Amino acid sequence: RFEPFVTAKHIEMCAQAGIEEISGHRLTFRPRMIKKAKAAGLEPSVGFVNSPNALAHCRKHGIYRLYTDTVPELKGWIEAANNG
């Protein structure tokens, strides 16, 4: 389920419905809600990861399901982060 602005209500609804992941926009899926989603058993995912800074934010918060408009670039940033 994609929610542009993830709230506790959305997390609860997804968990109760048996949904396994919740997606949000990386600028509005706040760290507190990321933690709540994980605690509820949901895998958080974010979009759009279109810069190295966006990737760093995701890695910092343990988000590994990513959506992007720049697949080749994202692949390169991931490889650089893993080797750096």
mmCIF file of all heavy atoms in Angstrom, residues 10-50:
data_model
loop_
_atom_site.group_PDB
_atom_site.id
_atom_site.type_symbol
_atom_site.label_atom_id
_atom_site.label_comp_id
_atom_site.label_asym_id
_atom_site.label_seq_id
_atom_site.Cartn_x
_atom_site.Cartn_y
_atom_site.Cartn_z
ATOM 1 N N HIS A 10 -2.542 4.560 9.079
ATOM 2 C CA HIS A 10 -2.256 3.748 7.895
ATOM 3 C C HIS A 10 -1.514 2.475 8.281
ATOM 4 O O HIS A 10 -1.802 1.398 7.767
ATOM 5 C CB HIS A 10 -1.417 4.531 6.883
ATOM 6 C CG HIS A 10 -2.115 5.706 6.315
ATOM 7 N ND1 HIS A 10 -1.578 6.964 6.359
ATOM 8 C CD2 HIS A 10 -3.310 5.826 5.707
ATOM 9 C CE1 HIS A 10 -2.413 7.814 5.793
ATOM 10 N NE2 HIS A 10 -3.476 7.150 5.386
ATOM 11 N N ILE A 11 -0.559 2.601 9.180
ATOM 12 C CA ILE A 11 0.207 1.436 9.626
ATOM 13 C C ILE A 11 -0.720 0.417 10.274
ATOM 14 O O ILE A 11 -0.670 -0.770 9.966
ATOM 15 C CB ILE A 11 1.335 1.873 10.584
ATOM 16 C CG1 ILE A 11 2.380 2.681 9.795
ATOM 17 C CG2 ILE A 11 1.961 0.678 11.280
ATOM 18 C CD1 ILE A 11 3.393 3.399 10.650
ATOM 19 N N GLU A 12 -1.594 0.881 11.141
ATOM 20 C CA GLU A 12 -2.538 -0.010 11.819
ATOM 21 C C GLU A 12 -3.462 -0.698 10.820
ATOM 22 O O GLU A 12 -3.702 -1.904 10.910
ATOM 23 C CB GLU A 12 -3.359 0.784 12.838
ATOM 24 C CG GLU A 12 -4.332 -0.063 13.619
ATOM 25 C CD GLU A 12 -5.148 0.756 14.613
ATOM 26 O OE1 GLU A 12 -4.742 1.878 14.969
ATOM 27 O OE2 GLU A 12 -6.210 0.261 15.015
ATOM 28 N N MET A 13 -3.969 0.058 9.855
ATOM 29 C CA MET A 13 -4.862 -0.516 8.849
ATOM 30 C C MET A 13 -4.160 -1.608 8.041
ATOM 31 O O MET A 13 -4.740 -2.668 7.783
ATOM 32 C CB MET A 13 -5.373 0.577 7.910
ATOM 33 C CG MET A 13 -6.389 1.496 8.544
ATOM 34 S SD MET A 13 -6.829 2.979 7.558
ATOM 35 C CE MET A 13 -6.816 2.423 5.887
ATOM 36 N N CYS A 14 -2.920 -1.361 7.651
ATOM 37 C CA CYS A 14 -2.164 -2.354 6.879
ATOM 38 C C CYS A 14 -1.904 -3.606 7.706
ATOM 39 O O CYS A 14 -2.080 -4.723 7.221
ATOM 40 C CB CYS A 14 -0.844 -1.757 6.397
ATOM 41 S SG CYS A 14 -1.038 -0.559 5.079
ATOM 42 N N ALA A 15 -1.482 -3.418 8.948
ATOM 43 C CA ALA A 15 -1.199 -4.568 9.818
ATOM 44 C C ALA A 15 -2.456 -5.400 10.043
ATOM 45 O O ALA A 15 -2.415 -6.636 9.973
ATOM 46 C CB ALA A 15 -0.612 -4.083 11.138
ATOM 47 N N GLN A 16 -3.583 -4.750 10.285
ATOM 48 C CA GLN A 16 -4.834 -5.470 10.515
ATOM 49 C C GLN A 16 -5.316 -6.201 9.268
ATOM 50 O O GLN A 16 -5.963 -7.242 9.364
ATOM 51 C CB GLN A 16 -5.909 -4.510 11.010
ATOM 52 C CG GLN A 16 -5.684 -4.038 12.420
ATOM 53 C CD GLN A 16 -6.722 -3.022 12.860
ATOM 54 O OE1 GLN A 16 -7.529 -2.528 12.080
ATOM 55 N NE2 GLN A 16 -6.694 -2.694 14.146
ATOM 56 N N ALA A 17 -5.000 -5.668 8.107
ATOM 57 C CA ALA A 17 -5.436 -6.280 6.846
ATOM 58 C C ALA A 17 -4.495 -7.385 6.377
ATOM 59 O O ALA A 17 -4.755 -8.018 5.359
ATOM 60 C CB ALA A 17 -5.556 -5.205 5.767
ATOM 61 N N GLY A 18 -3.405 -7.605 7.103
ATOM 62 C CA GLY A 18 -2.468 -8.646 6.705
ATOM 63 C C GLY A 18 -1.525 -8.239 5.592
ATOM 64 O O GLY A 18 -0.878 -9.085 4.982
ATOM 65 N N ILE A 19 -1.451 -6.954 5.325
ATOM 66 C CA ILE A 19 -0.526 -6.444 4.310
ATOM 67 C C ILE A 19 0.884 -6.509 4.887
ATOM 68 O O ILE A 19 1.103 -6.227 6.060
ATOM 69 C CB ILE A 19 -0.922 -5.011 3.908
ATOM 70 C CG1 ILE A 19 -2.288 -5.052 3.224
ATOM 71 C CG2 ILE A 19 0.132 -4.372 3.014
ATOM 72 C CD1 ILE A 19 -2.898 -3.695 2.966
ATOM 73 N N GLU A 20 1.856 -6.860 4.067
ATOM 74 C CA GLU A 20 3.217 -7.066 4.560
ATOM 75 C C GLU A 20 4.147 -5.891 4.371
ATOM 76 O O GLU A 20 5.232 -5.861 4.945
ATOM 77 C CB GLU A 20 3.815 -8.311 3.907
ATOM 78 C CG GLU A 20 3.047 -9.568 4.288
ATOM 79 C CD GLU A 20 3.594 -10.806 3.624
ATOM 80 O OE1 GLU A 20 4.492 -10.697 2.762
ATOM 81 O OE2 GLU A 20 3.126 -11.896 3.969
ATOM 82 N N GLU A 21 3.782 -4.928 3.534
ATOM 83 C CA GLU A 21 4.660 -3.774 3.337
ATOM 84 C C GLU A 21 3.858 -2.505 3.181
ATOM 85 O O GLU A 21 2.684 -2.545 2.826
ATOM 86 C CB GLU A 21 5.619 -3.977 2.168
ATOM 87 C CG GLU A 21 5.061 -3.968 0.783
ATOM 88 C CD GLU A 21 5.094 -2.635 0.057
ATOM 89 O OE1 GLU A 21 5.882 -1.732 0.371
ATOM 90 O OE2 GLU A 21 4.282 -2.494 -0.848
ATOM 91 N N ILE A 22 4.517 -1.403 3.479
ATOM 92 C CA ILE A 22 3.893 -0.102 3.316
ATOM 93 C C ILE A 22 4.898 0.827 2.667
ATOM 94 O O ILE A 22 6.072 0.843 3.035
ATOM 95 C CB ILE A 22 3.372 0.467 4.655
ATOM 96 C CG1 ILE A 22 2.568 1.754 4.420
ATOM 97 C CG2 ILE A 22 4.508 0.655 5.660
ATOM 98 C CD1 ILE A 22 1.779 2.206 5.637
ATOM 99 N N SER A 23 4.461 1.550 1.671
ATOM 100 C CA SER A 23 5.325 2.445 0.911
ATOM 101 C C SER A 23 4.930 3.884 1.156
ATOM 102 O O SER A 23 3.755 4.190 1.326
ATOM 103 C CB SER A 23 5.201 2.165 -0.587
ATOM 104 O OG SER A 23 5.550 0.845 -0.870
ATOM 105 N N GLY A 24 5.925 4.734 1.129
ATOM 106 C CA GLY A 24 5.673 6.158 1.265
ATOM 107 C C GLY A 24 6.720 6.955 0.517
ATOM 108 O O GLY A 24 7.727 6.418 0.057
ATOM 109 N N HIS A 25 6.481 8.227 0.421
ATOM 110 C CA HIS A 25 7.449 9.121 -0.196
ATOM 111 C C HIS A 25 8.587 9.345 0.784
ATOM 112 O O HIS A 25 8.360 9.548 1.976
ATOM 113 C CB HIS A 25 6.789 10.452 -0.559
ATOM 114 C CG HIS A 25 7.645 11.300 -1.432
ATOM 115 N ND1 HIS A 25 8.671 12.069 -0.926
ATOM 116 C CD2 HIS A 25 7.634 11.483 -2.766
ATOM 117 C CE1 HIS A 25 9.261 12.702 -1.930
ATOM 118 N NE2 HIS A 25 8.644 12.363 -3.058
ATOM 119 N N ARG A 26 9.801 9.324 0.313
ATOM 120 C CA ARG A 26 10.947 9.384 1.216
ATOM 121 C C ARG A 26 11.011 10.673 2.024
ATOM 122 O O ARG A 26 11.585 10.702 3.108
ATOM 123 C CB ARG A 26 12.258 9.158 0.481
ATOM 124 C CG ARG A 26 12.715 10.339 -0.324
ATOM 125 C CD ARG A 26 14.147 10.190 -0.771
ATOM 126 N NE ARG A 26 14.574 11.404 -1.389
ATOM 127 C CZ ARG A 26 15.154 12.403 -0.764
ATOM 128 N NH1 ARG A 26 15.393 12.334 0.519
ATOM 129 N NH2 ARG A 26 15.495 13.493 -1.415
ATOM 130 N N LEU A 27 10.426 11.743 1.526
ATOM 131 C CA LEU A 27 10.463 13.009 2.266
ATOM 132 C C LEU A 27 9.392 13.095 3.340
ATOM 133 O O LEU A 27 9.482 13.926 4.237
ATOM 134 C CB LEU A 27 10.329 14.191 1.298
ATOM 135 C CG LEU A 27 11.478 14.352 0.308
ATOM 136 C CD1 LEU A 27 11.178 15.505 -0.651
ATOM 137 C CD2 LEU A 27 12.802 14.561 1.022
ATOM 138 N N THR A 28 8.375 12.235 3.261
ATOM 139 C CA THR A 28 7.290 12.317 4.242
ATOM 140 C C THR A 28 7.128 11.060 5.089
ATOM 141 O O THR A 28 6.345 11.069 6.024
ATOM 142 C CB THR A 28 5.948 12.629 3.538
ATOM 143 O OG1 THR A 28 5.662 11.601 2.590
ATOM 144 C CG2 THR A 28 5.996 13.973 2.853
ATOM 145 N N PHE A 29 7.866 10.009 4.777
ATOM 146 C CA PHE A 29 7.832 8.789 5.591
ATOM 147 C C PHE A 29 8.879 8.999 6.687
ATOM 148 O O PHE A 29 10.035 8.646 6.547
ATOM 149 C CB PHE A 29 8.148 7.581 4.728
ATOM 150 C CG PHE A 29 7.703 6.247 5.284
ATOM 151 C CD1 PHE A 29 7.623 5.152 4.456
ATOM 152 C CD2 PHE A 29 7.381 6.074 6.613
ATOM 153 C CE1 PHE A 29 7.229 3.909 4.925
ATOM 154 C CE2 PHE A 29 6.984 4.836 7.107
ATOM 155 C CZ PHE A 29 6.915 3.759 6.262
ATOM 156 N N ARG A 30 8.447 9.578 7.782
ATOM 157 C CA ARG A 30 9.334 10.018 8.863
ATOM 158 C C ARG A 30 9.931 8.835 9.633
ATOM 159 O O ARG A 30 9.314 7.776 9.738
ATOM 160 C CB ARG A 30 8.569 10.919 9.829
ATOM 161 C CG ARG A 30 7.949 12.127 9.171
ATOM 162 C CD ARG A 30 9.007 13.118 8.820
ATOM 163 N NE ARG A 30 8.401 14.341 8.303
ATOM 164 C CZ ARG A 30 8.981 15.096 7.405
ATOM 165 N NH1 ARG A 30 10.145 14.765 6.917
ATOM 166 N NH2 ARG A 30 8.401 16.195 6.987
ATOM 167 N N PRO A 31 11.140 9.033 10.205
ATOM 168 C CA PRO A 31 11.793 7.959 10.959
ATOM 169 C C PRO A 31 10.914 7.354 12.055
ATOM 170 O O PRO A 31 10.927 6.126 12.248
ATOM 171 C CB PRO A 31 13.024 8.643 11.556
ATOM 172 C CG PRO A 31 13.362 9.705 10.548
ATOM 173 C CD PRO A 31 12.014 10.196 10.072
ATOM 174 N N ARG A 32 10.134 8.151 12.738
ATOM 175 C CA ARG A 32 9.251 7.620 13.785
ATOM 176 C C ARG A 32 8.226 6.659 13.191
ATOM 177 O O ARG A 32 7.933 5.608 13.757
ATOM 178 C CB ARG A 32 8.554 8.778 14.509
ATOM 179 C CG ARG A 32 7.669 8.345 15.654
ATOM 180 C CD ARG A 32 7.200 9.534 16.477
ATOM 181 N NE ARG A 32 6.515 10.547 15.683
ATOM 182 C CZ ARG A 32 5.191 10.695 15.643
ATOM 183 N NH1 ARG A 32 4.416 9.916 16.364
ATOM 184 N NH2 ARG A 32 4.650 11.622 14.887
ATOM 185 N N MET A 33 7.689 6.986 12.033
ATOM 186 C CA MET A 33 6.708 6.115 11.385
ATOM 187 C C MET A 33 7.388 4.882 10.785
ATOM 188 O O MET A 33 6.793 3.802 10.754
ATOM 189 C CB MET A 33 5.936 6.875 10.306
ATOM 190 C CG MET A 33 4.973 7.920 10.837
ATOM 191 S SD MET A 33 3.649 7.205 11.838
ATOM 192 C CE MET A 33 4.088 7.820 13.448
ATOM 193 N N ILE A 34 8.625 5.022 10.331
ATOM 194 C CA ILE A 34 9.373 3.867 9.837
ATOM 195 C C ILE A 34 9.525 2.854 10.968
ATOM 196 O O ILE A 34 9.292 1.664 10.784
ATOM 197 C CB ILE A 34 10.745 4.305 9.279
ATOM 198 C CG1 ILE A 34 10.561 5.144 8.006
ATOM 199 C CG2 ILE A 34 11.629 3.082 8.996
ATOM 200 C CD1 ILE A 34 11.819 5.863 7.539
ATOM 201 N N LYS A 35 9.882 3.325 12.152
ATOM 202 C CA LYS A 35 10.032 2.443 13.318
ATOM 203 C C LYS A 35 8.704 1.790 13.681
ATOM 204 O O LYS A 35 8.650 0.601 13.986
ATOM 205 C CB LYS A 35 10.578 3.225 14.515
ATOM 206 C CG LYS A 35 12.029 3.594 14.374
ATOM 207 C CD LYS A 35 12.500 4.402 15.570
ATOM 208 C CE LYS A 35 13.913 4.900 15.336
ATOM 209 N NZ LYS A 35 14.378 5.760 16.430
ATOM 210 N N LYS A 36 7.617 2.560 13.638
ATOM 211 C CA LYS A 36 6.291 2.005 13.943
ATOM 212 C C LYS A 36 5.897 0.934 12.927
ATOM 213 O O LYS A 36 5.333 -0.094 13.282
ATOM 214 C CB LYS A 36 5.230 3.110 13.968
ATOM 215 C CG LYS A 36 5.226 3.929 15.234
ATOM 216 C CD LYS A 36 4.036 4.889 15.207
ATOM 217 C CE LYS A 36 4.028 5.751 16.428
ATOM 218 N NZ LYS A 36 3.126 5.290 17.460
ATOM 219 N N ALA A 37 6.189 1.196 11.666
ATOM 220 C CA ALA A 37 5.852 0.223 10.628
ATOM 221 C C ALA A 37 6.616 -1.074 10.852
ATOM 222 O O ALA A 37 6.036 -2.169 10.774
ATOM 223 C CB ALA A 37 6.167 0.798 9.247
ATOM 224 N N LYS A 38 7.895 -0.979 11.151
ATOM 225 C CA LYS A 38 8.695 -2.178 11.402
ATOM 226 C C LYS A 38 8.172 -2.922 12.631
ATOM 227 O O LYS A 38 8.081 -4.150 12.619
ATOM 228 C CB LYS A 38 10.162 -1.808 11.587
ATOM 229 C CG LYS A 38 10.838 -1.399 10.299
ATOM 230 C CD LYS A 38 12.295 -1.055 10.568
ATOM 231 C CE LYS A 38 13.024 -0.731 9.301
ATOM 232 N NZ LYS A 38 14.456 -0.480 9.549
ATOM 233 N N ALA A 39 7.844 -2.180 13.674
ATOM 234 C CA ALA A 39 7.322 -2.798 14.901
ATOM 235 C C ALA A 39 5.997 -3.518 14.642
ATOM 236 O O ALA A 39 5.681 -4.503 15.309
ATOM 237 C CB ALA A 39 7.153 -1.747 15.992
ATOM 238 N N ALA A 40 5.234 -3.039 13.667
ATOM 239 C CA ALA A 40 3.954 -3.662 13.315
ATOM 240 C C ALA A 40 4.135 -4.838 12.358
ATOM 241 O O ALA A 40 3.168 -5.451 11.928
ATOM 242 C CB ALA A 40 3.021 -2.621 12.686
ATOM 243 N N GLY A 41 5.387 -5.141 12.010
ATOM 244 C CA GLY A 41 5.656 -6.269 11.121
ATOM 245 C C GLY A 41 5.578 -5.930 9.647
ATOM 246 O O GLY A 41 5.545 -6.823 8.811
ATOM 247 N N LEU A 42 5.557 -4.642 9.331
ATOM 248 C CA LEU A 42 5.498 -4.207 7.937
ATOM 249 C C LEU A 42 6.898 -3.894 7.426
ATOM 250 O O LEU A 42 7.730 -3.374 8.166
ATOM 251 C CB LEU A 42 4.635 -2.950 7.810
ATOM 252 C CG LEU A 42 3.190 -3.080 8.257
ATOM 253 C CD1 LEU A 42 2.527 -1.715 8.280
ATOM 254 C CD2 LEU A 42 2.429 -4.025 7.360
ATOM 255 N N GLU A 43 7.131 -4.208 6.172
ATOM 256 C CA GLU A 43 8.389 -3.819 5.546
ATOM 257 C C GLU A 43 8.193 -2.435 4.918
ATOM 258 O O GLU A 43 7.380 -2.280 4.009
ATOM 259 C CB GLU A 43 8.815 -4.808 4.474
ATOM 260 C CG GLU A 43 10.119 -4.408 3.814
ATOM 261 C CD GLU A 43 10.556 -5.343 2.710
ATOM 262 O OE1 GLU A 43 9.891 -6.358 2.465
ATOM 263 O OE2 GLU A 43 11.566 -5.026 2.072
ATOM 264 N N PRO A 44 8.930 -1.434 5.394
ATOM 265 C CA PRO A 44 8.788 -0.108 4.800
ATOM 266 C C PRO A 44 9.535 -0.014 3.474
ATOM 267 O O PRO A 44 10.588 -0.620 3.300
ATOM 268 C CB PRO A 44 9.409 0.820 5.843
ATOM 269 C CG PRO A 44 10.358 -0.027 6.602
ATOM 270 C CD PRO A 44 9.817 -1.424 6.541
ATOM 271 N N SER A 45 8.957 0.718 2.563
ATOM 272 C CA SER A 45 9.622 0.997 1.290
ATOM 273 C C SER A 45 9.367 2.456 0.947
ATOM 274 O O SER A 45 8.388 3.042 1.398
ATOM 275 C CB SER A 45 9.105 0.071 0.196
ATOM 276 O OG SER A 45 7.724 0.242 0.001
ATOM 277 N N VAL A 46 10.290 3.030 0.177
ATOM 278 C CA VAL A 46 10.142 4.441 -0.154
ATOM 279 C C VAL A 46 10.443 4.710 -1.619
ATOM 280 O O VAL A 46 11.172 3.980 -2.273
ATOM 281 C CB VAL A 46 11.035 5.365 0.712
ATOM 282 C CG1 VAL A 46 10.664 5.292 2.159
ATOM 283 C CG2 VAL A 46 12.483 5.083 0.518
ATOM 284 N N GLY A 47 9.889 5.766 -2.106
ATOM 285 C CA GLY A 47 10.145 6.309 -3.424
ATOM 286 C C GLY A 47 10.152 7.814 -3.272
ATOM 287 O O GLY A 47 9.619 8.309 -2.294
ATOM 288 N N PHE A 48 10.714 8.510 -3.979
ATOM 289 C CA PHE A 48 11.544 8.082 -5.083
ATOM 290 C C PHE A 48 12.995 8.335 -4.695
ATOM 291 O O PHE A 48 13.325 9.448 -4.310
ATOM 292 C CB PHE A 48 11.171 8.843 -6.351
ATOM 293 C CG PHE A 48 9.786 8.425 -6.819
ATOM 294 C CD1 PHE A 48 8.670 9.137 -6.449
ATOM 295 C CD2 PHE A 48 9.649 7.313 -7.603
ATOM 296 C CE1 PHE A 48 7.406 8.734 -6.877
ATOM 297 C CE2 PHE A 48 8.383 6.908 -8.040
ATOM 298 C CZ PHE A 48 7.265 7.626 -7.675
ATOM 299 N N VAL A 49 13.783 7.290 -4.807
ATOM 300 C CA VAL A 49 15.177 7.357 -4.404
ATOM 301 C C VAL A 49 15.984 7.697 -5.657
ATOM 302 O O VAL A 49 16.401 6.820 -6.396
ATOM 303 C CB VAL A 49 15.625 6.029 -3.759
ATOM 304 C CG1 VAL A 49 17.069 6.113 -3.302
ATOM 305 C CG2 VAL A 49 14.709 5.689 -2.594
ATOM 306 N N ASN A 50 16.160 8.993 -5.876
ATOM 307 C CA ASN A 50 16.783 9.477 -7.103
ATOM 308 C C ASN A 50 18.062 10.269 -6.859
ATOM 309 O O ASN A 50 18.466 11.058 -7.709
ATOM 310 C CB ASN A 50 15.787 10.356 -7.877
ATOM 311 C CG ASN A 50 14.638 9.548 -8.442
ATOM 312 O OD1 ASN A 50 14.756 8.350 -8.672
ATOM 313 N ND2 ASN A 50 13.513 10.190 -8.662
#
